[in-house]
Amino acid sequence: MISGDSIVALSSGRLPAGVAVVRISGPQSRFVVEMIAGSMVKNRVAAYRKFKAPDGSVLDSGLVVFFAGPSSFTGEDIAEFHVHGGRAVVAKMLETIAGFDGVRHAEPGEFTRRAFLNGKVDLVETEALADLVNAETEAQRRFAVQNAEGAQSQLYLGWRRQLIHARAMIEAEIDFADEDDVPGSVAETVWSDVRAMVDEIERHVQGFRAAEIIRDGFEVVILGAPNAGKSSLFNALARREAAIVTEEPGTTRDLLEVVLDLEGMRVRVTDTAGLRETPGRIEAIGIERARSKAGTADLLLVLEDMVDPVPIGAIPADVPSLRIGTKADLLQDKSPATRYDAVISTRDGAGLAELLAEIGHRAAAQIGQAGDILPSRLRHVELLNETKRFLLAAGTEDERGQELRAEELRLAADRLGRIVGAVDVEEMLDVIFSQFCIGK
């Protein structure tokens, strides 16, 4: 599908910058290049030109590249103008290009949407491109690249092809049972394969938590009594004064968060209110939030002042935790208690590197447990669960005939098709492509 109009947008980063890329896609791309660059350029060969407006005034000078469709990102003719990255230069280029008939400013994600509609990428690859644009850590980049290259799509399309074949075999046995070239008892083999696919889907869905950790971060929550050194540790990890530190109990009353990059993994650390039995009314709200946050964490850092230990009561038993002894610099010649998993001092930095290494190890273990190909979106999980439900119904032997069980296979294959966009998914497109920046 080639659009009737052309779209233009800034496709590079925040301005000002050394170089800015202004991209146009659509049938007017060639005409715009000829008008602004003075003449047409060779396909896929960068050319240095002076860029001029229709009235002859000079806009800038730089590189122009033309990509003829359908061998382009969107499947349409695309042109890119590499100009100086000043705000005024880019604004004038956009204004000039959008002034040509049939050219308008692009909407968020419209370049990628055209690529999808022209069959250049499927929905899963589209979402992976959004992840790649937003990737902040090495783990996020690797995960996005793998999916953008089609690993996840190939898995879902492979399952879908198996179901289409299984349904065809079932219907062939129904309609042509007397024919010599239709093998008998094919249904038994089909339903065995269906049960095996249910198990594969279940294992795949279990990996969604690992995908969430890659994309959103490994959740670490700091707990402890007032003055246990929580905010001091938080500031040391953040490498800035992110939390107020005083000797007055109850200073921290709300949740404070900092994002770390530990060996290429995104880790979110949350500082919480000190836990104690008789807080004030406002402080009690902070304590309740702390306990609630602890229940959803991937790892708890339970801090205790080794000089003046104060119990904090029960912590969530189903959340992994590390017991941390703080203020090691004040112990003098005393040996720390053996009940601690780590001993630290935020004053001289003792134990902090080892603690960070352990947090990174725990995060990597969580990601590594689920395998390589993971469902990267909640909508994938929902559609996979629907697929599993239809497969379980299809594999159940009851009074229903083979025709109805074959229909359950069709519905299961339809749900897998919806994940990658192989069937009608118009209602999802606006939501998916609105996540993109304007020039993508």
Side-chain angles (χ1 to χ4, degrees):
M1 185 200 81
I2 303 300
S3 303
D5 56 357
S6 299
I7 54 175
V8 63
L10 171 67
S11 291
S12 52
R14 182 180 300 175
L15 303 176
V19 176
V21 179
V22 176
R23 174 188 285 175
I24 177 173
S25 177
Q28 291 292 87
S29 298
R30 186 183 297 270
F31 173 74
V32 169
V33 170
E34 293 174 345
M35 292 297 295
I36 290 182
S39 62
M40 193 53 198
V41 297
K42 292 182 180 180
N43 185 40
R44 296 179 176 272
V45 176
Y48 179 79
R49 295 290 177 86
K50 184 172 289 186
F51 303 139
K52 295 182 179 181
D55 63 4
S57 61
V58 176
L59 300 171
D60 194 14
S61 58
L63 298 178
V64 57
V65 189
F66 182 78
F67 304 90
S71 300
S72 68
F73 172 66
T74 62
E76 305 172 332
D77 287 349
I78 285 183
E80 291 183 353
F81 297 93
H82 297 225
V83 299
H84 294 92
R87 291 187 177 90
V89 173
V90 172
K92 190 61 178 179
M93 286 290 295
L94 291 172
E95 176 189 339
T96 301
I97 295 174
F100 290 107
D101 290 340
V103 183
R104 61 174 175 81
H105 293 285
E107 297 176 357
E110 194 168 2
F111 286 90
T112 307
R113 183 168 186 151
R114 291 191 178 198
F116 167 73
L117 294 175
N118 290 325
K120 307 300 288 186
V121 293
D122 62 33
L123 279 185
V124 173
E125 291 167 344
T126 293
E127 291 165 327
L129 288 175
D131 288 341
L132 193 56
V133 170
N134 295 320
E136 297 177 343
T137 67
E138 177 61 17
Q140 290 173 337
R141 185 198 65 80
R142 290 198 304 266
F143 184 55
V145 166
Q146 181 185 51
N147 291 335
E149 291 182 341
Q152 196 178 348
S153 298
Q154 290 172 15
L155 176 65
Y156 300 149
L157 289 174
W159 283 338
R160 184 169 181 260
R161 284 192 295 269
Q162 291 180 45
L163 293 182
I164 291 173
H165 175 73
R167 181 185 170 209
M169 296 299 290
I170 291 293
E171 293 180 348
E173 186 175 78
I174 295 170
D175 296 336
F176 306 106
D178 297 332
E179 300 292 335
D180 293 337
D181 58 349
V182 177
S185 302
V186 69
E188 182 177 345
T189 301
V190 167
W191 300 128
S192 175
D193 291 342
V194 166
R195 288 190 291 272
M197 186 179 294
V198 168
D199 292 338
E200 290 180 39
I201 292 175
E202 284 183 345
R203 288 193 296 271
H204 179 66
V205 168
Q206 288 172 2
F208 181 58
R209 179 58 194 142
E212 283 187 308
I213 291 174
I214 293 173
R215 295 180 67 245
D216 301 329
F218 184 73
E219 191 80 42
V220 178
V221 174
I222 302 174
L223 295 179
N227 290 334
K230 300 182 303 301
S231 294
S232 295
L233 173 61
F234 183 76
N235 288 341
L237 297 179
R239 297 183 179 179
R240 59 186 173 88
E241 295 298 315
I244 299 173
V245 178
T246 72
E247 295 182 359
E248 180 182 344
T251 301
T252 301
R253 297 185 176 184
D254 208 345
L255 303 178
L256 301 176
E257 182 180 284
V258 66
V259 178
L260 308 179
D261 184 341
L262 296 183
E263 299 181 4
M265 292 169 292
R266 180 182 173 91
V267 176
R268 300 206 320 262
V269 181
T270 302
D271 186 20
T272 63
L275 306 181
R276 59 175 174 168
E277 295 299 326
T278 57
R281 185 170 61 88
I282 301 299
E283 188 182 350
I285 298 175
I287 291 175
E288 178 59 31
R289 289 179 178 176
R291 293 194 179 278
S292 176
K293 186 70 173 178
T296 62
D298 297 304
L299 177 66
L300 299 178
L301 301 183
V302 184
L303 272 57
E304 186 174 89
D305 182 346
M306 293 186 292
V307 177
D308 183 20
V310 176
I312 61 171
I315 62 173
D318 57 342
V319 179
S321 62
L322 290 174
R323 293 198 170 271
I324 312 296
T326 64
K327 305 182 182 179
D329 56 292
L330 299 180
L331 284 180
Q332 298 177 353
D333 296 331
K334 297 180 182 179
S335 298
T338 58
R339 64 176 178 272
Y340 301 120
D341 298 305
V343 173
I344 65 170
S345 168
T346 57
R347 179 168 294 178
D348 59 21
L352 292 181
E354 292 78 6
L355 177 58
L356 282 171
E358 179 62 22
I359 294 172
H361 174 74
R362 299 277 183 125
Q366 284 287 326
I367 294 172
Q369 289 173 355
D372 293 328
I373 303 178
L374 311 173
S376 55
R377 290 291 193 282
L378 181 58
R379 77 170 189 92
H380 302 169
V381 173
E382 292 172 344
L383 288 168
L384 287 167
N385 284 331
E386 287 186 33
T387 300
K388 187 177 71 173
R389 178 166 57 84
F390 287 123
L391 291 180
L392 288 172
T396 302
E397 296 185 26
D398 51 25
E399 66 278 2
R400 298 176 303 161
Q402 294 281 62
E403 294 89 346
L404 292 180
R405 296 175 73 185
E407 174 63 11
E408 299 283 4
L409 292 180
R410 185 192 70 80
L411 293 172
D414 173 84
R415 295 313 185 269
L416 289 172
R418 286 172 180 264
I419 299 178
V420 297
V423 295
D424 182 28
V425 289
E426 183 64 30
E427 69 276 8
M428 293 188 292
L429 297 186
D430 289 341
V431 175
I432 291 174
F433 290 107
S434 65
Q435 302 173 35
F436 284 82
C437 55
I438 295 292
K440 189 64 176 175

